[in-house]
Amino acid sequence: MLKVVVFDSGYGGELFADYLQENLPIIQIIRVIDWRNADKINTKYREARKLTEAAIKPYIGRVDLIIFANHLLTITSLKYFKRKYQSQKFLGLDLRQPRNPTGRDTLIITTKAIAKTINYHNYIFHLKCKTKTFIRDTWLTKIDNGELTASEIKNTLKTFSNKEHFYPLNLILACSHFNDIKPELRACFGKNLRIYDSFEDTFRKTCQVLELRGGAGKKKS
């Protein structure tokens, strides 16, 4: 059986591992979730790289694929791990590019650490639409602890939208944690909202790397 490690520092990693297990039931998912160092992994990429390396080292060369279910790690460290451990296959969660973005105002919900990276600024530069970044670090721990309420999400986004006079039709989730609150986000902005996360793209890349055909998980002939 193919073995895939999903690494993260919190509930977002659990969400992606669940998604992958549901869509690729024939693979073995090994969840490596470093809850203890969540704050460091989500805010300080140099320290996150060291902590990540320590956590996944027992699996390097022993599994078919290691996936970082963390956008900050993907942006800052994926190339480092690919260069250092060339015999091990790695993937990460890439920032999504919305389809036909022209004329559709786009809101990106992310964290301060991600928004500060050069790669994020390059990503924003290449989006061909009016874009605003909404930083919500405080929501990460609340999602981990099951404490983020629908009313807080609604009130926070309503205040932000009214203050900025910005009512998006595209919503990009640039942190895997925020996949947990998709229904609440859609309720805030209406049925015409398009939500973009990285799970589907990463699932497709996982199938390609593992040479599998579609969601049934059949090996390519």
Short mmCIF file of all heavy atoms in Angstrom, two decimals, residues 98 104-111 115 120-121 123-125 127-136 157 159-174 189:
data_model
loop_
_atom_site.label_atom_id
_atom_site.label_comp_id
_atom_site.label_asym_id
_atom_site.label_seq_id
_atom_site.Cartn_x
_atom_site.Cartn_y
_atom_site.Cartn_z
N PRO A 98 -7.74 32.01 -9.19
CA PRO A 98 -9.17 31.90 -9.53
C PRO A 98 -9.39 31.87 -11.03
O PRO A 98 -8.62 32.45 -11.80
CB PRO A 98 -9.78 33.17 -8.91
CG PRO A 98 -8.63 34.10 -8.74
CD PRO A 98 -7.43 33.25 -8.50
N ARG A 104 -14.12 40.40 -11.03
CA ARG A 104 -14.62 39.77 -9.80
C ARG A 104 -13.70 40.13 -8.65
O ARG A 104 -12.57 39.65 -8.57
CB ARG A 104 -14.69 38.24 -9.97
CG ARG A 104 -15.69 37.77 -11.01
CD ARG A 104 -15.72 36.26 -11.08
NE ARG A 104 -16.26 35.65 -9.87
CZ ARG A 104 -17.54 35.37 -9.68
NH1 ARG A 104 -18.44 35.63 -10.61
NH2 ARG A 104 -17.95 34.80 -8.55
N ASP A 105 -14.16 41.02 -7.77
CA ASP A 105 -13.36 41.39 -6.61
C ASP A 105 -13.04 40.15 -5.79
O ASP A 105 -13.89 39.28 -5.58
CB ASP A 105 -14.12 42.39 -5.73
CG ASP A 105 -14.26 43.75 -6.41
OD1 ASP A 105 -13.62 43.95 -7.46
OD2 ASP A 105 -14.99 44.60 -5.88
N THR A 106 -11.80 40.07 -5.32
CA THR A 106 -11.30 38.86 -4.67
C THR A 106 -10.76 39.16 -3.29
O THR A 106 -9.91 40.05 -3.12
CB THR A 106 -10.19 38.22 -5.53
OG1 THR A 106 -10.74 37.86 -6.81
CG2 THR A 106 -9.62 36.99 -4.86
N LEU A 107 -11.24 38.42 -2.31
CA LEU A 107 -10.75 38.51 -0.93
C LEU A 107 -9.92 37.28 -0.62
O LEU A 107 -10.33 36.16 -0.92
CB LEU A 107 -11.93 38.60 0.05
CG LEU A 107 -11.57 38.73 1.54
CD1 LEU A 107 -10.85 40.05 1.81
CD2 LEU A 107 -12.82 38.61 2.41
N ILE A 108 -8.75 37.50 -0.02
CA ILE A 108 -7.88 36.40 0.36
C ILE A 108 -7.78 36.39 1.89
O ILE A 108 -7.38 37.38 2.49
CB ILE A 108 -6.47 36.54 -0.25
CG1 ILE A 108 -6.57 36.67 -1.77
CG2 ILE A 108 -5.60 35.35 0.14
CD1 ILE A 108 -5.26 37.05 -2.42
N ILE A 109 -8.17 35.29 2.49
CA ILE A 109 -8.06 35.15 3.95
C ILE A 109 -6.79 34.35 4.22
O ILE A 109 -6.63 33.22 3.75
CB ILE A 109 -9.28 34.44 4.55
CG1 ILE A 109 -10.57 35.16 4.17
CG2 ILE A 109 -9.15 34.39 6.07
CD1 ILE A 109 -11.81 34.57 4.79
N THR A 110 -5.90 34.94 4.99
CA THR A 110 -4.61 34.31 5.23
C THR A 110 -4.05 34.73 6.58
O THR A 110 -4.78 35.28 7.42
CB THR A 110 -3.64 34.66 4.07
OG1 THR A 110 -2.46 33.88 4.20
CG2 THR A 110 -3.29 36.14 4.06
N THR A 111 -2.77 34.47 6.79
CA THR A 111 -2.11 34.83 8.04
C THR A 111 -1.04 35.88 7.78
O THR A 111 -0.61 36.09 6.65
CB THR A 111 -1.44 33.60 8.68
OG1 THR A 111 -0.39 33.13 7.82
CG2 THR A 111 -2.45 32.48 8.90
N ALA A 115 1.35 36.54 4.38
CA ALA A 115 1.19 37.81 3.68
C ALA A 115 2.50 38.60 3.59
O ALA A 115 2.64 39.46 2.72
CB ALA A 115 0.12 38.66 4.36
N TYR A 120 4.08 35.65 -1.77
CA TYR A 120 2.69 36.10 -1.67
C TYR A 120 2.50 37.41 -2.44
O TYR A 120 1.51 37.57 -3.17
CB TYR A 120 2.29 36.28 -0.21
CG TYR A 120 0.83 36.69 -0.05
CD1 TYR A 120 -0.18 35.75 -0.16
CD2 TYR A 120 0.49 38.02 0.18
CE1 TYR A 120 -1.52 36.12 -0.04
CE2 TYR A 120 -0.84 38.40 0.30
CZ TYR A 120 -1.83 37.44 0.19
OH TYR A 120 -3.16 37.82 0.31
N HIS A 121 3.45 38.32 -2.29
CA HIS A 121 3.34 39.59 -3.02
C HIS A 121 3.40 39.37 -4.53
O HIS A 121 2.68 40.04 -5.28
CB HIS A 121 4.45 40.54 -2.56
CG HIS A 121 4.21 41.11 -1.20
ND1 HIS A 121 3.40 42.22 -0.99
CD2 HIS A 121 4.63 40.73 0.03
CE1 HIS A 121 3.35 42.49 0.31
NE2 HIS A 121 4.09 41.60 0.94
N TYR A 123 2.35 36.67 -6.00
CA TYR A 123 1.07 36.06 -6.30
C TYR A 123 -0.02 37.13 -6.47
O TYR A 123 -0.79 37.10 -7.45
CB TYR A 123 0.72 35.10 -5.17
CG TYR A 123 -0.70 34.61 -5.12
CD1 TYR A 123 -1.16 33.65 -6.01
CD2 TYR A 123 -1.58 35.08 -4.15
CE1 TYR A 123 -2.47 33.19 -5.95
CE2 TYR A 123 -2.88 34.62 -4.08
CZ TYR A 123 -3.33 33.68 -4.98
OH TYR A 123 -4.61 33.22 -4.92
N ILE A 124 -0.06 38.08 -5.55
CA ILE A 124 -1.04 39.16 -5.62
C ILE A 124 -0.84 39.98 -6.91
O ILE A 124 -1.79 40.35 -7.59
CB ILE A 124 -0.92 40.09 -4.40
CG1 ILE A 124 -1.32 39.35 -3.12
CG2 ILE A 124 -1.79 41.35 -4.58
CD1 ILE A 124 -2.76 38.95 -3.06
N PHE A 125 0.41 40.23 -7.25
CA PHE A 125 0.74 41.04 -8.42
C PHE A 125 0.17 40.43 -9.69
O PHE A 125 -0.27 41.15 -10.60
CB PHE A 125 2.26 41.17 -8.53
CG PHE A 125 2.71 41.95 -9.74
CD1 PHE A 125 2.64 43.34 -9.76
CD2 PHE A 125 3.21 41.29 -10.86
CE1 PHE A 125 3.05 44.05 -10.88
CE2 PHE A 125 3.62 42.00 -11.98
CZ PHE A 125 3.54 43.39 -11.99
N LEU A 127 -2.50 38.46 -9.95
CA LEU A 127 -3.96 38.29 -9.99
C LEU A 127 -4.56 39.46 -10.76
O LEU A 127 -4.32 40.63 -10.45
CB LEU A 127 -4.53 38.26 -8.57
CG LEU A 127 -4.26 37.01 -7.74
CD1 LEU A 127 -4.87 37.15 -6.36
CD2 LEU A 127 -4.78 35.76 -8.42
N LYS A 128 -5.35 39.16 -11.76
CA LYS A 128 -5.89 40.21 -12.62
C LYS A 128 -7.28 40.63 -12.15
O LYS A 128 -8.27 40.51 -12.87
CB LYS A 128 -5.93 39.72 -14.07
CG LYS A 128 -4.56 39.34 -14.62
CD LYS A 128 -4.65 38.90 -16.06
CE LYS A 128 -3.30 38.41 -16.55
NZ LYS A 128 -2.27 39.45 -16.46
N CYS A 129 -7.34 41.11 -10.91
CA CYS A 129 -8.61 41.57 -10.35
C CYS A 129 -8.31 42.44 -9.12
O CYS A 129 -7.19 42.46 -8.62
CB CYS A 129 -9.48 40.38 -9.96
SG CYS A 129 -8.67 39.21 -8.83
N LYS A 130 -9.33 43.13 -8.67
CA LYS A 130 -9.20 43.92 -7.45
C LYS A 130 -9.14 42.97 -6.26
O LYS A 130 -10.03 42.12 -6.09
CB LYS A 130 -10.38 44.87 -7.30
CG LYS A 130 -10.27 45.81 -6.10
CD LYS A 130 -11.46 46.73 -6.04
CE LYS A 130 -11.39 47.65 -4.81
NZ LYS A 130 -12.58 48.52 -4.72
N THR A 131 -8.10 43.11 -5.45
CA THR A 131 -7.83 42.12 -4.40
C THR A 131 -7.58 42.80 -3.06
O THR A 131 -6.93 43.85 -3.00
CB THR A 131 -6.59 41.28 -4.77
OG1 THR A 131 -6.79 40.68 -6.04
CG2 THR A 131 -6.34 40.20 -3.74
N LYS A 132 -8.09 42.19 -2.02
CA LYS A 132 -7.76 42.63 -0.66
C LYS A 132 -7.37 41.41 0.17
O LYS A 132 -7.91 40.31 -0.02
CB LYS A 132 -8.93 43.37 0.00
CG LYS A 132 -9.13 44.78 -0.56
CD LYS A 132 -10.10 45.57 0.27
CE LYS A 132 -10.28 46.98 -0.31
NZ LYS A 132 -9.03 47.78 -0.20
N THR A 133 -6.42 41.63 1.08
CA THR A 133 -5.95 40.58 1.98
C THR A 133 -6.56 40.78 3.35
O THR A 133 -6.52 41.87 3.92
CB THR A 133 -4.42 40.60 2.08
OG1 THR A 133 -3.86 40.34 0.79
CG2 THR A 133 -3.92 39.56 3.07
N PHE A 134 -7.14 39.72 3.89
CA PHE A 134 -7.78 39.75 5.21
C PHE A 134 -7.00 38.81 6.12
O PHE A 134 -7.05 37.59 5.95
CB PHE A 134 -9.23 39.31 5.07
CG PHE A 134 -10.05 39.44 6.33
CD1 PHE A 134 -10.11 40.64 7.02
CD2 PHE A 134 -10.77 38.36 6.82
CE1 PHE A 134 -10.87 40.76 8.17
CE2 PHE A 134 -11.54 38.46 7.96
CZ PHE A 134 -11.59 39.67 8.63
N ILE A 135 -6.26 39.36 7.07
CA ILE A 135 -5.39 38.57 7.95
C ILE A 135 -6.14 38.20 9.23
O ILE A 135 -6.62 39.07 9.94
CB ILE A 135 -4.10 39.35 8.27
CG1 ILE A 135 -3.28 39.54 6.98
CG2 ILE A 135 -3.27 38.64 9.34
CD1 ILE A 135 -2.07 40.44 7.15
N ARG A 136 -6.19 36.88 9.50
CA ARG A 136 -6.91 36.43 10.69
C ARG A 136 -6.12 35.38 11.45
O ARG A 136 -6.53 34.22 11.59
CB ARG A 136 -8.28 35.84 10.28
CG ARG A 136 -9.26 36.80 9.67
CD ARG A 136 -9.40 38.11 10.38
NE ARG A 136 -9.84 37.97 11.76
CZ ARG A 136 -9.82 38.96 12.62
NH1 ARG A 136 -9.34 40.13 12.29
NH2 ARG A 136 -10.24 38.77 13.85
N LEU A 157 -16.38 39.74 9.36
CA LEU A 157 -16.36 39.96 7.91
C LEU A 157 -17.27 41.11 7.51
O LEU A 157 -16.95 41.88 6.59
CB LEU A 157 -16.75 38.69 7.18
CG LEU A 157 -15.69 37.59 7.18
CD1 LEU A 157 -16.25 36.30 6.63
CD2 LEU A 157 -14.47 38.02 6.37
N THR A 159 -17.99 43.77 9.33
CA THR A 159 -17.29 45.00 9.72
C THR A 159 -16.19 45.33 8.71
O THR A 159 -16.04 46.48 8.27
CB THR A 159 -16.68 44.85 11.12
OG1 THR A 159 -17.73 44.59 12.06
CG2 THR A 159 -15.93 46.11 11.52
N PHE A 160 -15.43 44.31 8.32
CA PHE A 160 -14.34 44.51 7.36
C PHE A 160 -14.90 44.97 6.01
O PHE A 160 -14.39 45.94 5.42
CB PHE A 160 -13.58 43.20 7.18
CG PHE A 160 -12.52 43.24 6.11
CD1 PHE A 160 -11.26 43.76 6.38
CD2 PHE A 160 -12.80 42.78 4.84
CE1 PHE A 160 -10.29 43.80 5.40
CE2 PHE A 160 -11.83 42.81 3.84
CZ PHE A 160 -10.58 43.33 4.13
N SER A 161 -15.91 44.31 5.52
CA SER A 161 -16.47 44.65 4.20
C SER A 161 -17.04 46.06 4.17
O SER A 161 -16.84 46.80 3.21
CB SER A 161 -17.56 43.64 3.82
OG SER A 161 -17.01 42.35 3.65
N ASN A 162 -17.77 46.42 5.22
CA ASN A 162 -18.37 47.76 5.27
C ASN A 162 -17.29 48.84 5.38
O ASN A 162 -17.40 49.90 4.75
CB ASN A 162 -19.35 47.85 6.43
CG ASN A 162 -20.59 47.02 6.21
OD1 ASN A 162 -20.93 46.68 5.07
ND2 ASN A 162 -21.28 46.67 7.28
N LYS A 163 -16.27 48.58 6.17
CA LYS A 163 -15.19 49.55 6.34
C LYS A 163 -14.43 49.75 5.04
O LYS A 163 -14.07 50.88 4.67
CB LYS A 163 -14.24 49.08 7.44
CG LYS A 163 -13.08 50.02 7.70
CD LYS A 163 -12.16 49.48 8.78
CE LYS A 163 -10.96 50.39 8.99
NZ LYS A 163 -10.03 49.83 10.02
N GLU A 164 -14.16 48.65 4.33
CA GLU A 164 -13.37 48.72 3.10
C GLU A 164 -14.23 48.94 1.84
O GLU A 164 -13.68 49.14 0.76
CB GLU A 164 -12.60 47.40 2.93
CG GLU A 164 -11.61 47.09 4.04
CD GLU A 164 -10.42 48.04 4.05
OE1 GLU A 164 -10.07 48.55 2.97
OE2 GLU A 164 -9.85 48.25 5.13
N HIS A 165 -15.57 48.90 2.00
CA HIS A 165 -16.48 49.00 0.86
C HIS A 165 -16.11 47.94 -0.19
O HIS A 165 -15.98 48.22 -1.38
CB HIS A 165 -16.45 50.40 0.24
CG HIS A 165 -16.77 51.49 1.20
ND1 HIS A 165 -18.04 51.69 1.71
CD2 HIS A 165 -15.96 52.42 1.79
CE1 HIS A 165 -18.02 52.72 2.55
NE2 HIS A 165 -16.78 53.16 2.63
N PHE A 166 -15.96 46.71 0.30
CA PHE A 166 -15.45 45.62 -0.53
C PHE A 166 -16.32 44.39 -0.31
O PHE A 166 -16.38 43.85 0.80
CB PHE A 166 -14.00 45.32 -0.14
CG PHE A 166 -13.27 44.42 -1.11
CD1 PHE A 166 -12.79 44.91 -2.30
CD2 PHE A 166 -13.05 43.08 -0.81
CE1 PHE A 166 -12.11 44.09 -3.20
CE2 PHE A 166 -12.38 42.25 -1.70
CZ PHE A 166 -11.90 42.77 -2.90
N TYR A 167 -17.01 43.96 -1.38
CA TYR A 167 -17.94 42.83 -1.29
C TYR A 167 -17.55 41.81 -2.36
O TYR A 167 -18.02 41.90 -3.50
CB TYR A 167 -19.38 43.33 -1.43
CG TYR A 167 -19.70 44.40 -0.43
CD1 TYR A 167 -19.56 45.75 -0.76
CD2 TYR A 167 -20.09 44.07 0.86
CE1 TYR A 167 -19.82 46.74 0.18
CE2 TYR A 167 -20.35 45.06 1.82
CZ TYR A 167 -20.21 46.39 1.47
OH TYR A 167 -20.45 47.37 2.40
N PRO A 168 -16.70 40.86 -2.01
CA PRO A 168 -16.06 40.00 -3.02
C PRO A 168 -17.01 38.96 -3.62
O PRO A 168 -17.98 38.53 -3.01
CB PRO A 168 -14.96 39.30 -2.22
CG PRO A 168 -15.50 39.26 -0.82
CD PRO A 168 -16.26 40.54 -0.65
N LEU A 169 -16.65 38.56 -4.86
CA LEU A 169 -17.30 37.44 -5.52
C LEU A 169 -16.38 36.22 -5.55
O LEU A 169 -16.84 35.11 -5.81
CB LEU A 169 -17.70 37.82 -6.95
CG LEU A 169 -18.82 38.86 -7.06
CD1 LEU A 169 -19.02 39.27 -8.50
CD2 LEU A 169 -20.12 38.32 -6.47
N ASN A 170 -15.08 36.44 -5.33
CA ASN A 170 -14.10 35.36 -5.18
C ASN A 170 -13.55 35.38 -3.77
O ASN A 170 -13.27 36.46 -3.22
CB ASN A 170 -12.92 35.52 -6.15
CG ASN A 170 -13.29 35.19 -7.58
OD1 ASN A 170 -14.20 34.40 -7.83
ND2 ASN A 170 -12.57 35.77 -8.52
N LEU A 171 -13.36 34.22 -3.19
CA LEU A 171 -12.74 34.11 -1.88
C LEU A 171 -11.67 33.03 -1.94
O LEU A 171 -11.96 31.88 -2.29
CB LEU A 171 -13.79 33.73 -0.82
CG LEU A 171 -13.30 33.59 0.62
CD1 LEU A 171 -12.76 34.93 1.14
CD2 LEU A 171 -14.42 33.10 1.52
N ILE A 172 -10.43 33.40 -1.65
CA ILE A 172 -9.32 32.46 -1.68
C ILE A 172 -8.89 32.16 -0.25
O ILE A 172 -8.63 33.07 0.54
CB ILE A 172 -8.13 33.03 -2.49
CG1 ILE A 172 -8.55 33.27 -3.93
CG2 ILE A 172 -6.93 32.09 -2.42
CD1 ILE A 172 -7.51 33.99 -4.77
N LEU A 173 -8.82 30.88 0.08
CA LEU A 173 -8.40 30.45 1.41
C LEU A 173 -6.91 30.12 1.36
O LEU A 173 -6.52 29.10 0.81
CB LEU A 173 -9.21 29.24 1.86
CG LEU A 173 -10.74 29.40 1.80
CD1 LEU A 173 -11.42 28.14 2.31
CD2 LEU A 173 -11.18 30.62 2.59
N ALA A 174 -6.10 30.99 1.95
CA ALA A 174 -4.64 30.81 1.92
C ALA A 174 -4.14 30.31 3.26
O ALA A 174 -3.07 30.71 3.74
CB ALA A 174 -3.96 32.11 1.52
N PHE A 189 -21.27 35.97 2.30
CA PHE A 189 -21.14 36.66 1.03
C PHE A 189 -22.14 36.21 -0.04
O PHE A 189 -22.16 36.75 -1.14
CB PHE A 189 -19.72 36.51 0.50
CG PHE A 189 -18.69 37.18 1.35
CD1 PHE A 189 -17.73 36.44 2.03
CD2 PHE A 189 -18.67 38.56 1.47
CE1 PHE A 189 -16.78 37.06 2.82
CE2 PHE A 189 -17.72 39.19 2.25
CZ PHE A 189 -16.77 38.45 2.93
#
